[in-house]
Amino acid sequence: MPTFDAVLFDMDGVIVDSEDYWVDIEEQTIFPEVLETTVSADEITGMNYREIYDYLDEHYETTVEKSEFVDIYDEAAEDVYGEHAALMDGFRDIVADLRADGVDVALVSSAPHAWIDVVLERFDLDFDAVVSAEDVDAPGKPGPAIYEHAAERLGHRPSACVAVEDSENGVEAAVRAGADCVGYRNGAKKLDLSAADAVVSTPEALREQLFTRP
């Protein structure tokens, strides 16, 4: 039996394989349209898209206003989540088995609720809590607030939760909140997930890690 009370799943790159699509769209389409220079998507992976603009505007020279940038991302999201992204193999069974063991399950994402809702509806998913960066009046990932808020929503301490994250910013957020963290390599760009308590690269290995954790 698991010794934790909840598993907090990141959405992009964990629940759905959207990261490859986002990397391609950001590096090949969005960034060339809104910046004067070339930027790697590695720098902003895991951030909320509104915070991405603030980051880019601070560190580089942006060529569009924030409202236009947001519209560009919203349009891209409809395509990514509505058409391309696929659900993690075996994800429904992992969730069902966690719940059978009395473990709460949450989705915790930097994405806005409008994007999350597309995923929930398309794949008919249900969680004990759904938390977006929009719900937290504090900096998003790598800040810890989103994971602290998710644990509170479920009625647990962060230290009683396990987060599953695929990005450096996400892992840092979970660790800073005090949660255990499983880093999930999804085939997108290789990121440094060494700050996680464990790192896996397949759904089967994730299942084993979750159900055999001490």
Side-chain angles (χ1 to χ4, degrees), residues 49-64:
Y49 71 145
R50 297 176 188 276
E51 292 181 329
I52 291 173
Y53 180 85
D54 296 336
Y55 174 87
L56 295 175
D57 195 48
E58 178 182 353
H59 293 89
Y60 303 97
E61 185 175 352
T62 55
T63 60
V64 299

Side-chain angles (χ1 to χ4, degrees), residues 77-104:
E78 292 181 15
D79 189 50
V80 170
Y81 300 116
E83 300 292 336
H84 295 295
L87 188 67
M88 177 200 291
D89 289 343
F91 183 73
R92 299 181 197 280
D93 291 337
I94 290 175
V95 170
D97 291 344
L98 286 169
R99 283 178 163 157
D101 283 342
V103 176
D104 292 328

Side-chain angles (χ1 to χ4, degrees), residues 174-185:
V175 171
R176 289 174 62 187
D180 281 357
C181 185
V182 178
Y184 185 71
R185 296 200 182 280

Side-chain angles (χ1 to χ4, degrees), residues 74-191:
D74 282 336
E75 183 176 347
E78 292 181 15
D79 189 50
V80 170
Y81 300 116
E83 300 292 336
H84 295 295
L87 188 67
M88 177 200 291
D89 289 343
F91 183 73
R92 299 181 197 280
D93 291 337
I94 290 175
V95 170
D97 291 344
L98 286 169
R99 283 178 163 157
D101 283 342
V103 176
D104 292 328
V105 182
L107 182 157
V108 182
S109 177
S110 295
H113 278 290
W115 298 6
I116 295 171
D117 288 345
V118 174
V119 171
L120 297 180
E121 182 175 350
R122 181 180 171 202
F123 297 109
D124 192 24
L125 300 176
D126 175 61
F127 294 89
D128 299 299
V130 174
V131 178
S132 161
E134 292 180 327
D135 302 326
V136 182
D137 186 20
K141 301 173 185 178
I146 191 169
Y147 276 111
E148 293 168 343
H149 180 72
E152 182 179 4
R153 281 273 305 275
L154 293 170
H156 304 306
R157 293 170 289 106
S159 59
C161 302
V162 175
V164 183
E165 273 284 359
D166 73 305
S167 71
E168 295 172 26
N169 286 324
V171 169
E172 182 178 345
V175 171
R176 289 174 62 187
D180 281 357
C181 185
V182 178
Y184 185 71
R185 296 200 182 280
N186 53 33
K189 286 190 173 182
K190 297 299 184 185
L191 302 177

Side-chain angles (χ1 to χ4, degrees), residues 23 34 37 39 48 65 79 85 97 140 155 166 169 183 185-186 194 201:
V23 168
V34 304
T37 188
V39 177
N48 174 267
E65 297 297 321
D79 189 50
D97 291 344
D166 73 305
N169 286 324
R185 296 200 182 280
N186 53 33
S194 60
S201 57

